[in-house]
Amino acid sequence: MTKKLRVALAQMDFFVGDIAGNLEKHIQAAEQARDELNADVIVFPELSITGYPPEDLLLRPSFIDASNQAVLTLQNTVKNIHCVIGHPYATQDGLFNTCSVLHNGRLLARYSKQHLPNYGVFDEKRYFTSGQSSGIVMIKDIPVAICICEDLWFDGPAQAAAKQGARIILSPNASPFEIDKQEQRVKTIAQRARANNVAIVYVNCVGGQDDLIFDGGSMVLDKQGLVALQGDFFKEQLFCAEFELMNTDIQVQHTPHTLPSLEEKIYQALVLGVRDYVKKNHFTGALIGLSGGIDSALVLAIAVDALGKENVRTVMMPSRYTAQISLADAELIAKNFGVRYDVISIDKLYADFIENLSSVLPEVPPVADQNIQARCRGVIIMALSNSSGDIVLTTGNRSEMAVGYATLYGDMAGGFAVLKDVPKTMVYRLSKYRNTISDDIPVRILERAPSAELAFDQTDQDTLPPYPELDLILSLYLNQGWGIEEIIAHGYDTETVTKIVNSIRVSEYKRRQAAVGTRINHTAFGRDRRYPISSGFKG
């Protein structure tokens, strides 16, 4: 006898804390899956009712009460489709990260996450108690199990589900984007499918939440561990998989798919990060200080793609050190993207600062002199932000942030750091990728030597090693966790490595004050990195 089950994957962008809005999205998606996709069951991501990660909102009783009420409303509202939803669930034993299976006004099953991640960006043991048991729910007379996110990264939960007779595992997830994360997901989930002879439905959320990006990429793997159905990345999607069960066999139709390139994935992550941060925090648009250089050009491209050109404004703030070519390139790129472009000179402001300092600082040191210029620009662009309601997008990249090549309250002034986790060498790769969509970033910007233009004939390499060398050393130290001696033994110059690592260490205080920015690495500056500002360790 053949049995069929149609499962809808609800890859959606749920807003943390907007329980009423999230509930409405659940109802609409469930009804669409039932009426248009003829689905028997719809699976939502992890903690879909509250959004992920709710962080310390989970410590507020009123938040838990609102979540409970939303679950009850959904249970009593949606009929004739099984709904697998994620929500916090409190008992006398603690608070649990839970999935409930609802159908026609009834609670059919409840499963609580067993393995609570507590590394990197995850802090679940602060809030949740581990679940202790698995269970099977019968949907159309087919034994189905649930494993929430991290549970699939361990052998136990899937094994227990299979021993109890599960033929399909439904896995709600809130898995943030990292550069190589999708490959890790497929490898791990494929192992669980093969080892336990089960098909797995992996449903991930999508969207930006502060510095985190959830990339979607929901998928279905057959019992051989092959990806049968692959969802899109970086956008909401509701799609369906049909399973056929015949005695001991289970089949799901395979659909061809292609994966985006590395540059496309990172670029789309940055676009989504800007879009959701601006939208969810109710800014009217974005402001960018253009310099005529590659970083601000890429940030402009991302902002336009995220928000639309009508919601992006640029300002060029030249000084006596600004080259004519920079003015020309800034104006050209603003024209190419069709955004408003203003020019406000900082020369008078800068001169006034120097004059007013002269009584106590007759000779201004070069670093202070350059920082004054950067802070003049920060004052101007923040004034424009205050008057318009637009958020300032900062343009500094990961390479600069790592070694402190940035000015507090100057070029670091702003609300969202788009390139905070993007190395300079990747900035160039992303800019070239963006030009394959439309040729808007002038080639000259891609080819010019980068410069802060805070002194005559200045280039970044006056202070920093060449960016390819710098980024490789940063990758070894930050991403791979190598020490100074290991990096030197790998063939790098002792003085260069020591200087870079020392710059990273002494710049920790700057990064603590930097704007939040989109995370793409597993060692991003932000919640991934928790190093003391005051530290005597130099290795």
Side-chain angles (χ1 to χ4, degrees):
M1 179 181 175
T2 299
K3 300 174 184 178
K4 293 185 178 182
L5 186 70
R6 288 182 62 80
V7 180
L9 292 77
Q11 178 175 293
M12 305 191 75
D13 186 348
F14 291 110
F15 186 4
V16 166
D18 183 12
I19 293 175
N22 294 341
L23 172 61
E24 185 60 31
K25 292 186 77 166
H26 278 76
I27 293 171
Q28 290 176 0
E31 291 178 345
Q32 182 183 353
R34 178 195 64 199
D35 299 338
E36 298 179 18
L37 301 180
N38 198 29
D40 301 303
V41 55
I42 182 170
V43 185
F44 291 95
E46 178 181 6
L47 290 181
S48 54
I49 289 290
T50 60
Y52 190 95
E55 299 184 288
D56 281 9
L57 290 173
L58 291 165
L59 304 179
R60 302 189 66 84
S62 58
F63 184 75
I64 303 302
D65 290 344
S67 173
N68 292 340
Q69 185 58 51
V71 173
L72 186 61
T73 300
L74 182 62
Q75 177 177 321
N76 294 326
T77 300
V78 178
K79 307 297 181 184
N80 301 320
I81 185 171
H82 295 77
C83 297
V84 180
I85 65 168
H87 61 97
Y89 177 64
T91 74
Q92 63 182 8
D93 296 320
L95 183 67
F96 296 88
N97 182 339
T98 295
C99 273
S100 292
V101 183
L102 312 176
H103 184 248
N104 286 343
R106 297 172 55 217
L107 171 67
L108 300 186
R110 184 177 286 134
Y111 172 87
S112 294
K113 190 174 185 178
Q114 298 182 45
H115 292 277
L116 303 175
N118 218 64
Y119 55 85
V121 301
F122 301 106
D123 202 14
E124 290 198 19
K125 290 184 179 179
R126 176 178 172 85
Y127 310 106
F128 295 117
T129 300
S130 296
Q132 299 300 318
S133 60
S134 57
I136 299 297
V137 58
M138 302 301 292
I139 301 179
K140 291 190 68 177
D141 202 32
I142 297 170
V144 174
I146 297 171
C147 288
I148 302 174
C149 200
E150 191 82 1
D151 288 346
L152 279 185
W153 294 75
F154 293 83
D155 295 330
Q159 286 179 351
K163 285 181 180 178
Q164 294 178 51
R167 307 296 302 282
I168 301 172
I169 291 178
L170 306 178
S171 180
N173 287 261
S175 178
F177 171 72
E178 291 173 11
I179 286 175
D180 59 351
K181 192 65 169 289
Q182 182 64 9
E183 292 77 9
Q184 296 175 34
R185 293 170 186 150
V186 172
K187 180 180 178 181
T188 300
I189 299 167
Q191 290 173 347
R192 301 292 168 263
R194 287 193 300 268
N196 298 288
N197 200 37
V198 294
I200 297 178
V201 177
Y202 174 96
V203 181
N204 195 21
C205 58
V206 67
Q209 178 58 35
D210 298 341
D211 55 337
L212 299 182
I213 296 297
F214 297 92
D215 53 330
S218 302
M219 55 190 165
V220 176
L221 282 77
D222 65 19
K223 67 178 184 177
Q224 286 82 33
L226 301 176
V227 177
L229 187 62
Q230 175 67 67
D232 292 333
F233 293 86
F234 305 107
K235 67 179 182 181
E236 291 189 304
Q237 190 178 23
L238 182 65
F239 60 105
C240 212
E242 182 168 287
F243 295 91
E244 287 192 2
L245 286 85
M246 296 162 285
N247 299 319
T248 60
D249 194 25
I250 180 168
Q251 298 290 335
V252 59
Q253 184 177 357
H254 283 239
T255 302
H257 63 273
T258 57
L259 297 177
S261 67
L262 175 62
E263 290 80 7
E264 181 180 356
K265 285 194 292 186
I266 294 174
Y267 189 84
Q268 292 303 323
L270 299 174
V271 168
L272 180 57
V274 170
R275 180 184 298 130
D276 266 16
Y277 195 85
V278 170
K279 174 184 174 183
K280 291 177 178 179
N281 289 286
H282 309 293
F283 289 100
T284 56
L287 265 167
I288 301 164
L290 286 186
S291 67
I294 189 69
D295 294 319
S296 62
L298 179 60
V299 171
L300 174 56
I302 292 166
V304 169
D305 290 344
L307 308 173
K309 63 183 180 182
E310 67 279 4
N311 296 311
V312 179
R313 178 181 178 184
T314 63
V315 56
M316 171 52 143
M317 295 169 282
S319 74
R320 64 195 66 184
Y321 303 117
T322 302
Q324 192 61 40
I325 189 174
S326 298
L327 281 163
D329 286 346
E331 183 176 8
L332 176 60
I333 195 170
K335 181 180 178 181
N336 287 352
F337 281 103
V339 298
R340 176 174 173 178
Y341 173 74
D342 295 298
V343 179
I344 303 174
S345 173
I346 67 165
D347 262 344
K348 187 175 187 306
L349 271 177
Y350 165 71
D352 288 344
F353 269 115
I354 297 300
E355 181 180 348
N356 281 297
L357 281 168
S358 62
S359 62
V360 294
L361 200 61
E363 186 174 342
V364 179
V367 171
D369 182 271
Q370 294 181 27
N371 285 340
I372 287 170
Q373 296 171 58
R375 289 176 180 135
C376 287
R377 294 187 172 107
V379 169
I380 290 171
I381 201 163
M382 290 308 301
L384 295 175
S385 173
N386 293 156
S387 65
S388 66
D390 294 339
I391 188 173
V392 174
L393 302 180
T394 69
T395 61
N397 58 66
R398 175 181 168 97
S399 307
E400 296 167 346
M401 292 299 296
V403 297
Y405 193 62
T407 301
L408 270 176
Y409 328 120
D411 55 315
M412 290 176 64
F416 196 75
V418 182
L419 305 179
K420 184 177 182 179
D421 201 28
V422 181
K424 184 74 168 190
T425 48
M426 181 56 71
V427 169
Y428 282 97
R429 290 170 63 180
L430 294 178
S431 298
K432 292 174 182 176
Y433 162 76
R434 179 56 177 78
N435 271 1
T436 66
I437 299 173
S438 58
D439 198 14
D440 294 317
I441 300 177
V443 173
R444 189 165 64 180
I445 291 179
L446 290 163
E447 294 176 346
R448 286 179 63 200
S451 170
E453 292 193 324
L454 298 172
F456 286 118
D457 297 323
Q458 182 186 49
T459 68
D460 291 1
Q461 282 188 218
D462 296 339
T463 305
L464 305 174
Y467 279 113
E469 180 183 8
L470 174 62
D471 284 350
L472 284 170
I473 294 173
L474 292 176
S475 178
L476 294 174
Y477 184 77
L478 297 171
N479 291 39
Q480 307 302 322
W482 289 19
I484 290 176
E485 297 304 322
E486 289 176 280
I487 298 173
I488 293 170
H490 202 63
Y492 290 96
D493 175 69
T494 299
E495 183 179 351
T496 300
V497 173
T498 303
K499 180 180 177 181
I500 289 172
V501 172
N502 186 60
S503 296
I504 295 170
R505 183 177 63 85
V506 301
S507 300
E508 194 68 46
Y509 80 100
K510 285 188 181 182
R511 291 188 293 271
R512 290 287 184 94
Q513 300 179 67
V516 65
T518 301
R519 169 189 183 270
I520 65 170
N521 286 284
H522 73 281
T523 54
F525 295 128
R527 67 178 87 194
D528 284 279
R529 181 181 170 87
R530 304 178 189 183
Y531 276 66
I533 294 174
S534 305
S535 170
F537 183 71
K538 299 180 181 180

